[in-house]
Amino acid sequence: MDIDDLRILNSVAKHGSMNRAAAALHMVQSSVTARIRQLEDELGVSLFVRHSRGVRLSEAGERLLSYSGRIDALFQEAVAAVKEDGVPKGTLRIGSTEPTVSFRLPSVLAAYAKRYPAVSLTVTTGNSSELIRQVVDQSLDGAFVAGPVANPLLTEEPMFREELALVTQASTRSIDDLRSAQEVKAIVLAEGCSYGELINNVLSGYGIKHQVLPLASFDAIRSFVQSGIGITVLPKEILAASWKDAAVAVHELPAAMAQVETVFIRRADSSNRSALEAFLLLSRASSNLDG
C-alpha cells in the first residue's frame, strides 16, 4: 500500500464509481479497478460494496478512508516542510463561517492574494462544527469559527469579537411583543449556524415558543425578517453595514448573550508554515481585538 493507492481509494469513495474516479484521476478504469482489488487482497478485506449504480465504501473502507485523509495531509505537510524557506508559497486552505468571510475577511484575502501570489489560497465556508471537523482531519489548514473550542487536538486564537442584536420586523416594539405569537420562526444562516444556539437561548429565556428556520443567504434572511415571517440574530456591524436601509427593528440583547468571539483554529501538531503565518499576521492586523 502506498500514497497513490490511498488517493485512488479517496477518489473512488468520492465519486462512487470506478469509471468516474478513473476520469478524475486521468487513468483508465481497468487500472483503477486493479489497484483497488490489489489493495483489498493485500489487506484481506473488501473496501467497497459493489451495486448496480457503482460502489460504496464498506465498513472497513470507511475506517481506512479516515486514515487515508490524515496520511495524505501529513504527506503534503512533509513536502511543504522540505520546501520551506521562509517565503510564503504552495497551498493554503482556510475555512470560515459565512458572516466572517463576508464581512471580516474580504480585505484580508485581497491583501494576501496581492502580497503573496505564489500561494494558492482556497477558502471554504461552513458552520463551526463542520469547519472544526475539517481542521481536525486536516482537510483545512485552519478556520475561523465561533469560540471557545474545547478540543485538545486544536489551538485557538481569538480574532474578532461581535456584539449581537435581535432583529425583527419594524412593527415589533420589543422582544416581549413576541410572546403573543403562537410560534416564532428563528431564522439562521444554514443548518448548524453558530448563532442558532444563541437565539434558542434568548427566546427560551423570554419564554417564547419558536422553530428554527435555516436559510441559504443574508438576502433571504433580510427579506423574511422585513416581511414578518421570522426574526434573526446578527452582529451589529453587519446590521450597520448592509441592513441600514432595511425596514426592521433592532433590539438589544442581555450583555451576557450579546458578546460572541470568533477564533482561528489549527491543529496543535501542525508545522508553522510561512504561508499560514503570513495569513495570520494580516488577520491579526485587521482584528478588532488588538490591544
Side-chain angles (χ1 to χ4, degrees):
M1 181 169 60
D2 60 27
I3 193 70
D4 287 333
D5 290 327
L6 296 179
R7 287 174 177 162
I8 291 172
L9 174 82
N10 275 330
S11 186
V12 175
K14 176 181 177 181
H15 295 284
S17 160
M18 300 285 182
N19 189 42
R20 289 192 292 272
L25 294 167
H26 306 291
M27 298 173 63
V28 296
Q29 180 182 342
S30 58
S31 296
V32 170
T33 301
R35 291 289 288 271
I36 292 296
R37 291 198 183 280
Q38 288 170 9
L39 189 55
E40 289 177 323
D41 290 343
E42 179 183 343
L43 297 174
V45 295
S46 293
L47 298 174
F48 290 94
V49 176
R50 279 74 174 173
H51 55 78
S52 59
R53 297 182 304 280
V55 297
R56 62 175 174 82
L57 284 167
S58 65
E59 289 186 9
E62 292 277 6
R63 290 193 293 271
L64 181 59
L65 186 68
S66 68
Y67 284 97
S68 172
R70 288 149 60 187
I71 291 169
D72 187 56
L74 188 61
F75 178 82
Q76 297 299 331
E77 184 178 328
V79 171
V82 169
K83 296 180 178 179
E84 183 64 61
D85 59 3
V87 178
K89 56 179 171 294
T91 61
L92 181 61
R93 303 160 302 170
I94 298 296
S96 176
T97 57
E98 185 64 39
T100 298
V101 79
S102 296
F103 295 95
R104 292 290 186 183
L105 295 185
S107 61
V108 174
L109 297 173
Y112 190 86
K114 183 177 181 180
R115 192 172 301 181
Y116 305 109
V119 178
S120 176
L121 174 65
T122 59
V123 179
T124 299
T125 58
N127 63 52
S128 290
S129 58
E130 292 171 340
L131 296 171
I132 290 168
R133 176 184 55 78
Q134 291 178 73
V135 174
V136 167
D137 69 19
Q138 297 179 303
S139 300
L140 294 172
D141 297 307
F144 295 92
V145 300
V149 177
N151 189 314
L153 294 176
L154 304 174
T155 61
E156 61 184 279
E157 177 182 347
M159 281 290 177
F160 309 111
R161 184 176 291 119
E162 311 291 358
E163 185 176 357
L164 305 180
L166 186 75
V167 192
T168 68
Q169 68 180 131
S171 61
T172 302
R173 294 168 297 176
S174 72
I175 298 177
D176 285 330
D177 289 351
L178 298 172
R179 286 198 177 106
S180 60
Q182 186 173 4
E183 185 178 67
V184 171
K185 286 184 170 57
I187 304 174
V188 297
L189 188 67
E191 204 71 53
C193 170
S194 57
Y195 301 151
E197 183 178 351
L198 185 142
I199 199 169
N200 272 329
N201 292 339
V202 170
L203 296 179
S204 297
Y206 279 89
I208 298 169
K209 294 181 180 180
H210 61 281
Q211 173 190 7
V212 175
L213 174 63
L215 294 180
S217 71
F218 285 117
D219 286 341
I221 291 175
R222 181 164 65 176
S223 176
F224 273 49
V225 172
Q226 286 186 137
S227 62
I229 295 174
I231 64 174
T232 194
V233 166
L234 287 173
K236 286 185 176 180
E237 289 197 27
I238 290 179
L239 295 172
S242 62
W243 285 49
K244 57 187 177 184
D245 299 323
V248 297
V250 178
H251 308 275
E252 297 288 332
L253 292 174
M257 293 182 174
Q259 298 290 327
V260 173
E261 196 166 69
T262 296
V263 300
F264 186 84
I265 58 171
R266 54 176 160 170
R267 281 191 59 110
D269 58 1
S270 64
S271 60
N272 293 326
R273 291 177 49 219
S274 297
L276 179 56
E277 291 304 315
F279 181 82
L280 286 174
L281 281 174
L282 288 174
S283 299
R284 291 175 189 129
S286 70
S287 170
N288 64 357
L289 297 182
D290 289 346

